[in-house]
Amino acid sequence: MTKKIFLFAFLILGFTSIAQKALKIGFVDLEYILENIPEYMEAQSKINAKAISWQNDIEKQQKEIEALKVDLTNEKALLTKALIEEKEEDIQIKELDLKNLQIAHFGTNGDLFFLRQQLVKPVQDIVYNAIQDIAKKRRFDFVMDKSSSLLMLYTNKEFDISELVLNSIIRSKKIDAIKEKQDLKENAVENEKDDAAEINADNKADALQEKIDDRETKKEALKKKIEDQKAEKLRQREAQKKAIEEKRQQRIIEIEAAKKAQQEKKENN
């Protein structure tokens, strides 16, 4: 406690000596701010769940090692020296593995540290940026965290910017959400335009194809009509030729009959 009071007094004296003007000092309650940010609480829940899982795994292995030690103690009188040394070596290896596992999960640069960096630091950065922004706008020389280990003997709520920071973060999130919504809407409009343009292009292509198909159909119909007309004319010509030939043959028959009749008449006379 004495050290904290001394540290706080030293900081105040140091701040006073920095400039001749009166210093404007604000403070925040980082713990309060973070607890009111859903993303931070969600990150903390994930971290706690992971830490509990790792700790349970460590405790399980610790119990297994303790059980091996108990078994060795109970069986020691029945084992040879070589077997005892072998089992003791196995236990030492397991203890070393357990120690390495503890360091890997909870060490200075362990899994827990990197998990905090991954999940919590982005939220903390947002908070720190909001604090800096408000501090600059309100011309604070220093902003302290009253939830930290630094002892705050007295705080005036007038200089507590915790709510301002929290509201700034919430407002920024709303603005980002609106912007994201607008971007999605604009993208949707652009996609609709693209779809409409694509549909229009498809419709034009279909219309053009229909014209081509219609032209081909008409062309085929005209070709068939011409061929039918030619066939009809040919049929009529053949019919005329046949009729003329029939008349000619009939005329020949009539002439032959007339000649025959005259010949018979002469013979009868």
Side-chain angles (χ1 to χ4, degrees):
M1 177 67 73
T2 305
K3 288 183 178 179
K4 290 182 179 179
I5 295 174
F6 176 77
L7 176 61
F8 183 74
F10 176 77
L11 288 173
I12 294 298
L13 290 173
F15 295 157
T16 306
S17 63
I18 291 175
Q20 297 298 322
K21 69 179 183 67
L23 295 176
K24 189 175 181 181
I25 301 174
F27 65 91
V28 294
D29 187 341
L30 272 181
E31 186 176 340
Y32 165 76
I33 294 172
L34 291 172
E35 286 177 352
N36 283 276
I37 299 177
E39 290 83 356
Y40 176 81
M41 299 306 295
E42 183 181 350
Q44 281 296 109
S45 296
K46 290 180 180 179
I47 291 170
N48 292 339
K50 205 68 176 177
I52 290 172
S53 175
W54 290 334
Q55 186 61 38
N56 289 339
D57 187 31
I58 290 171
E59 290 177 358
K60 180 181 177 182
Q61 293 189 37
Q62 183 65 51
K63 289 179 180 179
E64 291 175 356
I65 293 172
E66 293 300 326
L68 290 174
K69 288 181 178 180
V70 171
D71 291 341
L72 179 59
T73 301
N74 294 334
E75 298 172 359
K76 212 166 191 179
L78 305 175
L79 300 175
T80 63
K81 183 179 179 181
L83 284 174
I84 292 172
E85 290 176 352
E86 182 180 342
K87 287 182 177 292
E88 287 177 343
E89 185 178 350
D90 288 340
I91 291 173
Q92 289 175 358
I93 291 173
K94 288 183 180 295
E95 286 179 332
L96 181 60
D97 290 341
L98 180 60
K99 185 177 180 181
N100 291 333
L101 182 63
Q102 289 174 323
I103 294 172
H105 286 326
F106 300 104
T108 305
N109 293 316
D111 298 328
L112 186 62
F113 171 78
F114 285 108
L115 190 61
R116 288 185 185 279
Q117 288 289 103
Q118 180 183 0
L119 299 179
V120 174
K121 191 175 183 302
V123 181
Q124 290 176 331
D125 289 342
I126 292 173
V127 174
Y128 294 149
N129 290 335
I131 291 173
Q132 289 181 359
D133 184 55
I134 292 173
K136 289 178 181 178
K137 289 179 179 178
R138 293 186 170 250
R139 300 181 181 277
F140 282 106
D141 295 293
F142 299 96
V143 176
M144 298 181 180
D145 176 20
K146 71 175 185 178
S147 64
S148 67
S149 59
L150 181 64
L151 180 63
M152 304 288 285
L153 298 177
Y154 171 76
T155 56
N156 188 336
K157 289 186 178 181
E158 180 183 352
F159 301 106
D160 185 350
I161 62 173
S162 300
E163 289 295 339
L164 291 175
V165 172
L166 189 58
N167 290 335
S168 174
I169 293 171
I170 294 172
R171 185 166 57 253
S172 296
K173 286 171 62 178
K174 287 181 179 179
I175 292 172
D176 291 341
I178 292 172
K179 185 178 179 182
E180 183 179 358
K181 188 176 181 180
Q182 289 176 342
D183 290 341
L184 290 173
K185 187 176 181 180
E186 289 176 0
N187 290 335
V189 171
E190 289 297 325
N191 290 335
E192 287 179 1
K193 288 182 179 179
D194 292 340
D195 292 341
E198 186 175 348
I199 291 171
N200 189 32
D202 290 341
N203 290 338
K204 287 182 178 179
D206 292 341
L208 180 61
Q209 187 62 44
E210 285 180 4
K211 287 183 179 180
I212 294 173
D213 293 342
D214 185 57
R215 189 180 297 117
E216 289 296 325
T217 301
K218 289 180 179 180
K219 185 177 179 181
E220 290 295 327
L222 180 60
K223 182 179 179 181
K224 187 175 183 302
K225 183 178 179 181
I226 293 172
E227 289 177 351
D228 291 343
Q229 288 176 348
K230 286 182 178 180
E232 179 63 21
K233 287 181 179 180
L234 182 61
R235 187 188 64 78
Q236 290 177 358
R237 191 178 298 115
E238 290 296 328
Q240 288 176 354
K241 286 172 66 177
K242 185 178 180 181
I244 292 171
E245 181 63 24
E246 287 177 352
K247 285 182 180 181
R248 190 177 70 80
Q249 292 295 331
Q250 183 64 32
R251 182 62 179 164
I252 291 172
I253 292 171
E254 289 176 354
I255 292 172
E256 290 295 329
K259 286 181 178 180
K260 186 177 180 181
Q262 288 178 357
Q263 185 67 30
E264 289 177 351
K265 187 177 180 181
K266 285 181 180 181
E267 290 177 355
N268 291 330
N269 290 331

